[in-house]
Amino acid sequence: MSSEKIVVCGGGGFIGGHLVADLLRQGRRDIRSVDIKPVKEWYQHSAKVENLQLDLQEKAACERALEGAHTVYNLGADMGGMGFIENNRALCMLSVLINTHLCMAAKKHGVQRYFYASSACVYAADKQTSPDVTALKESDAYPAMPEDGYGWEKLFSERMCRHFREDFGLTARVARYHNVYGPYGTYDGGREKAPAAVCRKVIRAKLSGKHEIEIWGDGHQTRSFMYIDDCLKGTQAILASDILEPINLGSSEIVSINGLVDIVEGIAGIKLKRTYNLSAPKGVNGRNSDNTLIKKYLGWEPGIRLRDGLEKTYQWIYGEMTQR
């Protein structure tokens, strides 16, 4: 297996960078990492792998990226946190070109295993109207009513993978990620997700002495957050499995945004005055991962406690913010 070429698309991003590093730790050496950003702007990169700057929305770039590939991880997408996806729906939809052209290139080059990173944003909005949400099971994606823009692209691309598997024999596996977080990720600039944003805001309040924090929404909206190490383990296990349908990959530990702030305040050793921006993007009122299927298929589910993952994330962001 170690001699078979692995291609990580979106390798300059948060999850992709961690995946490349994890594959190297496992002794894999024939790795190609591909991203649209210049290599010097990648979240992580290693001289031990082939690093390519390519725009995977282009068909020719996808064919170049997948030359000689045995295994492909498609983590490439133009995306970010709720603030980004609510205000950039067309850009999110254009990521459909990435998966479409990668599937075509995978068929052309005889790729043996293909992974597509989908999202919990595919789930129907009418099942996420209350903070006291019932955990979402895989069948809740239909009848379709996903997050506008980003969610529709993910749901369509799931179907693309399914039909390439059914019609052309591409061994495609799909995981629906639920809010992945951890070190070496975006924490400011508009694309960051809630855990990193809250860490940044708490750190800034602590460093500035202005003990206040603005929370998007009323703080009662609920989510689950999966630490990057669980994401990496689950992603590789799903790709290696016989699971044909899209499957949840997320923590089932639910928390409100207020509760998330509580945890980060505890890590920082500080209490902040909270103000609530009710006009800011906040997404659905409640979302959690039903892990019945992944436990059935893999005998495992993401289990790293939110507090433990947040502590590592907070320390990394603190170091980034204080070394400038």
Side-chain angles (χ1 to χ4, degrees):
M1 286 290 289
S2 61
S3 63
E4 295 168 340
K5 186 179 293 295
I6 301 171
V7 179
V8 179
C9 301
F14 165 53
I15 299 174
H18 277 284
L19 177 59
V20 170
D22 191 57
L23 292 169
L24 285 170
R25 282 193 294 270
Q26 295 174 36
R28 305 299 181 103
R29 287 296 175 262
D30 195 357
I31 301 169
R32 179 182 295 145
S33 185
V34 185
D35 204 277
I36 192 172
K37 299 183 291 294
V39 175
K40 68 180 187 305
E41 296 177 13
W42 292 13
Y43 292 80
Q44 300 181 67
H45 67 271
S46 170
K48 295 179 180 178
V49 309
E50 181 186 5
N51 298 306
L52 296 181
Q53 181 189 359
L54 294 170
D55 182 355
L56 294 175
Q57 292 189 27
E58 299 174 358
K59 183 171 181 284
C62 290
E63 292 186 355
R64 167 69 184 92
L66 268 52
E67 285 178 8
H70 176 278
T71 299
V72 174
Y73 292 92
N74 177 13
L75 306 173
D78 197 352
M79 58 87 67
M82 193 52 59
F84 179 81
I85 66 176
E86 283 198 7
N87 294 309
N88 296 277
R89 293 189 173 103
L91 286 178
C92 290
M93 289 294 287
L94 284 171
S95 292
V96 74
L97 295 171
I98 299 174
N99 189 63
T100 301
H101 289 144
L102 282 174
C103 283
M104 293 169 69
K107 173 177 175 286
K108 177 178 179 177
H109 289 304
V111 166
Q112 296 299 300
R113 291 261 165 182
Y114 183 93
F115 176 86
Y116 177 65
S118 186
S119 165
C121 288
V122 301
Y123 285 115
D126 64 357
K127 296 184 182 295
Q128 304 173 79
T129 57
S130 168
D132 301 317
V133 67
T134 300
L136 295 160
K137 56 186 183 296
E138 284 76 3
S139 58
D140 288 332
Y142 295 95
M145 196 191 303
E147 180 80 34
D148 203 7
Y150 181 70
W152 275 109
E153 186 277 320
K154 289 296 186 184
L155 195 62
F156 177 86
S157 293
E158 287 187 3
R159 303 296 286 196
M160 179 74 75
C161 290
R162 170 180 171 175
H163 296 311
F164 265 73
R165 175 175 57 80
E166 293 173 339
D167 294 359
F168 304 126
L170 177 64
T171 302
R173 301 291 181 258
V174 176
R176 292 173 178 162
Y177 288 167
H178 288 248
N179 297 308
V180 188
Y181 74 100
Y184 298 99
T186 301
Y187 61 89
D188 63 6
R191 290 179 182 257
E192 67 276 14
K193 295 188 177 182
V198 170
C199 286
R200 183 199 76 239
K201 290 178 179 181
V202 171
I203 292 165
R204 188 161 290 158
K206 183 171 184 174
L207 294 176
S208 69
K210 188 178 180 182
H211 290 183
E212 298 177 2
I213 186 170
E214 181 189 84
I215 295 171
W216 287 8
D218 60 13
H220 296 303
Q221 62 269 36
T222 53
R223 294 289 188 277
S224 69
F225 298 100
M226 171 172 56
Y227 190 63
I228 184 64
D229 290 3
D230 275 337
C231 178
L232 298 176
K233 181 175 181 178
T235 293
Q236 293 170 78
I238 289 166
L239 181 59
S241 77
D242 296 323
I243 303 169
L244 298 183
E245 68 266 40
I247 190 165
N248 281 333
L249 182 54
S251 169
S252 59
E253 181 186 352
I254 194 166
V255 66
S256 69
I257 299 303
N258 278 327
L260 182 66
V261 175
D262 289 339
I263 295 171
V264 179
E265 284 179 336
I267 293 167
I270 196 172
K271 288 296 291 182
L272 305 176
K273 178 185 177 183
R274 302 180 187 187
T275 58
Y276 295 89
N277 185 347
L278 301 182
S279 63
K282 70 180 186 68
V284 297
N285 288 321
R287 179 183 292 153
N288 194 18
S289 180
D290 184 317
N291 288 344
T292 303
L293 271 187
I294 196 168
K295 287 190 287 186
K296 173 186 173 184
Y297 284 124
L298 300 181
W300 172 87
E301 66 174 317
I304 296 172
R305 289 193 322 149
L306 181 58
R307 164 82 192 209
D308 295 338
L310 278 173
E311 190 142 14
K312 294 177 182 178
T313 306
Y314 177 94
Q315 296 301 338
W316 180 79
I317 295 174
Y318 188 90
E320 290 293 297
M321 292 178 66
T322 53
Q323 71 180 11
R324 293 178 178 176

